Amino acid sequence: MSNPVGWFEIYVDDMDRAKAFYEKVFKTELEAIGDLNDDNLTMVAFPSNMEKYGAAGALVKMAGFSAGGNSTLVYFSCDDCAIEGERVTEAGGQVQQEKMSIGNYGFIILALDSEGNMFGLHSLK
């Protein structure tokens, strides 16, 4: 049996703004992928290791697909979600739910990114 999620995409309206937001919150660099000559589709991927647990994913700007208003929530794994949570506002986003316990499963924060997409942060401490 494999993990249920193999990839995720977060649709954005302003790729530069969204890329800067996620790079600042997670202190990482996103990499351009896909056909760099196709103006209808721009993708930047989060760093990933396909040999380890968890799903890889990318920010996507595609004609006909706007940001926000979706009903899928992506949770990013963190050592302590409070650390990334503190960076959300300064990166241009908004915390919707401060760090809260989910019992034996750890803690979560819910936030909006610079494009209006809701995402989650999860940690065990």
Side-chain angles (χ1 to χ4, degrees):
M1 179 176 230
S2 62
N3 295 320
V5 177
W7 180 259
F8 68 85
E9 294 179 348
I10 301 172
Y11 285 81
V12 305
D13 293 325
D14 184 323
M15 181 59 79
D16 292 336
R17 177 178 64 201
K19 182 176 182 283
F21 173 84
Y22 283 100
E23 288 179 337
K24 185 169 186 172
V25 169
F26 294 110
K27 299 289 186 203
T28 192
E29 188 172 324
L30 280 62
E31 176 185 347
I33 62 172
D35 184 352
L36 301 179
N37 297 314
D38 184 355
D39 291 337
N40 292 315
L41 176 64
T42 305
M43 299 176 76
V44 294
F46 290 86
S48 62
N49 179 342
M50 299 309 234
E51 303 294 318
K52 292 197 172 192
Y53 173 81
L59 301 179
V60 178
K61 181 170 175 26
M62 185 183 329
F65 291 87
S66 59
N70 56 21
S71 61
T72 301
L73 191 58
V74 174
Y75 279 86
F76 291 92
S77 297
C78 309
D79 287 330
D80 180 351
C81 63
I83 295 169
E84 287 80 1
E86 289 177 6
R87 298 180 191 144
V88 168
T89 303
E90 64 189 52
Q94 181 179 358
V95 173
Q96 296 293 293
Q97 171 62 56
E98 296 290 340
K99 185 176 179 178
M100 64 179 269
S101 172
I102 53 172
N104 293 339
Y105 299 99
F107 299 87
I108 63 168
I109 291 175
L110 297 176
L112 294 175
D113 70 10
S114 60
E115 306 302 290
N117 295 304
M118 185 170 286
F119 67 97
L121 301 170
H122 173 262
S123 63
L124 294 177
K125 62 179 179 178

